[in-house]
Structures are given as structure tokens and as C-alpha cells.
Amino acid sequence: MRVILLGPPGAGKGTQAKMIIERYGVPQISTGDILRAAVAAGTPLGREAKTYMGRGALVPDEVVIGIVRDRLTEPDCHGGYLLDGFPRTVAQAEALTRMLRELGTPLPTVVSLDVAEGELIRRLSGRRTCQTCDAVFHVEFHPPRAMGICDKCSGRLIQREDDQEETIRRRLQVYREQTEPLIGYYQTQGLLKRVNGLGETGGIFARISSILERRDGQGAASQSH
Ligand code: AMP
């Protein structure tokens, strides 16, 4: 199963990604998570990425394309993968299409999670992340049992630097300008599936999995004939 999860910041990609990898056993490739780990470790990649991430800008295409190329060639990705947060620009999408052609693997299903902008701001500005284990909570929709403390590991909950209101607005603007054109790009290729990202996470997941299973079923059927 090969999947790209597309959608604005706050659409629920991270939550749905976790459910997809658990159900289908494919590895998750999240460029945001890889970059945050590099920032936390203070590597040269992390030091470069931090200057962009802190202000809600995109890290340069060649940097993230290199990260994804390295990751996709690892053995655990041969049977499938879930891309979350990549591609984010048409240049990244074109590089990915070339990469997959070179690797000789089928093109992924592209699931676009659609959520209106007012709702995105509400979701992102209330998000709190555990400094220790990266678990995600929300002051309104998924509050921790004790204010400011992670239910899972008792770590401190913080507001990610890029979840602060001004940076959120900047990230949404970057999404509209640089990432939204991907919807047209994948629609033209016949790979795009749009999913309403409002409602219960379980209901959204049901909509996504019915799309993915239909496509995988079709793949199996066409191979068997
Ligand atoms: P995310 O967790 O996916 O919202 O990513 C957090 C930040 O990491 C973004 O605001 C960007 O600065 C950077 N980032 C993640 N993925 C990409 C990508 N595919 N291209 C460029 N920058 C990225």
C-alpha cells in the first residue's frame, strides 16, 4: 500500500497517518518528524532546517527531496509506505514521481484531507505537544488529564514554536501558495482522492480506509487477470 497524505497544517494528517500505519503495517515517512528530530539532535541538517521551520517557511526542496530519497530506498519501504507532509511543492512532487519511476514502483494513492481554514486555526492554536515523547493533545478537543503534563510519559506539554498564531497564519499562506497546487497536479494524473476531514477521527479513518482498500483490491484484481 502506497499512500500520500495531503492537506493543510492542522487537517489531521498526523493522527490519520498513525491509524493508517497501524492498520496496514507500512512505515510512515513524515518529513516534519524527521526534520524535528534533526533539530533536536543539533545535526547540521537540523541547524539549517531550524531557520526555516521556526518562521513557518518551507525547508528548501533539495534538502527534503534528499531525505525522502534516502528513506524510500530503505528495505522497509519496498512493500509500501505512507508519506505525510511530503511532497509540499510541485517541484517535490515532480522529483517524487521521477524517483518512483526509477525505483520501478507503482504510483501512490493521494488522499487529500479537506478542512476549512477557520477550523484549522482553532485546531492548531490549541495543540500541545509532549516535549519528551511527542504525544499530541488539544486544550479543547483532547485535553490531558493534568494541565501541561503528558498522560503517557508525564513529560512537559509545550506549544510548538510553529503552532503560535502568527506562524500558523504564515504556514497556511505557504500551504495555499505552494502546496495547494499539488491538488491539481495529482488530479490530472488521476491519483487524487478527496476526503472530508471534519468529524470524528474514527469516521474520517473509515472514509480513508475504504478508498485505500478499494484501490488495493483493484490492483490485486487487475494482477490476477
Ligand atoms: P509538519 O510537521 O509537516 O507541519 O512540518 C513542520 C515544518 O517542517 C514545516 O512548516 C516546514 O518548515 C518543514 N517541512 C516539513 N515537511 C516539509 C517539506 N516536505 N518541504 C519543506 N519543508 C517541510
Side-chain angles (χ1 to χ4, degrees), residues 75-166:
D76 65 331
C77 293
H78 291 173
Y81 51 79
L82 169 82
L83 277 168
D84 154 26
F86 181 94
R88 275 252 223 319
T89 63
V90 172
Q92 291 178 18
E94 288 170 346
L96 177 66
T97 304
R98 279 195 300 276
M99 251 185 260
L100 297 175
R101 272 205 204 110
E102 280 164 26
L103 290 170
T105 59
L107 294 176
T109 306
V110 182
V111 175
S112 163
L113 273 179
D114 297 339
V115 178
E117 183 151 331
E119 173 69 13
L120 294 172
I121 294 174
R122 212 154 72 102
R123 289 184 183 183
L124 288 169
S125 53
R127 188 154 81 171
R128 298 291 180 271
T129 308
C130 175
Q131 227 177 5
T132 310
C133 75
D134 283 337
V136 180
F137 298 84
H138 192 281
V139 291
E140 198 180 333
F141 310 125
H142 175 37
R145 282 193 294 271
M147 264 288 259
I149 297 173
C150 176
D151 287 357
K152 296 187 177 144
C153 76
S154 302
R156 200 162 76 89
L157 297 182
I158 54 159
Q159 186 172 35
R160 258 168 54 178
E161 191 182 359
D162 58 353
D163 280 344
Q164 313 205 0
E165 178 118 7
E166 201 175 313

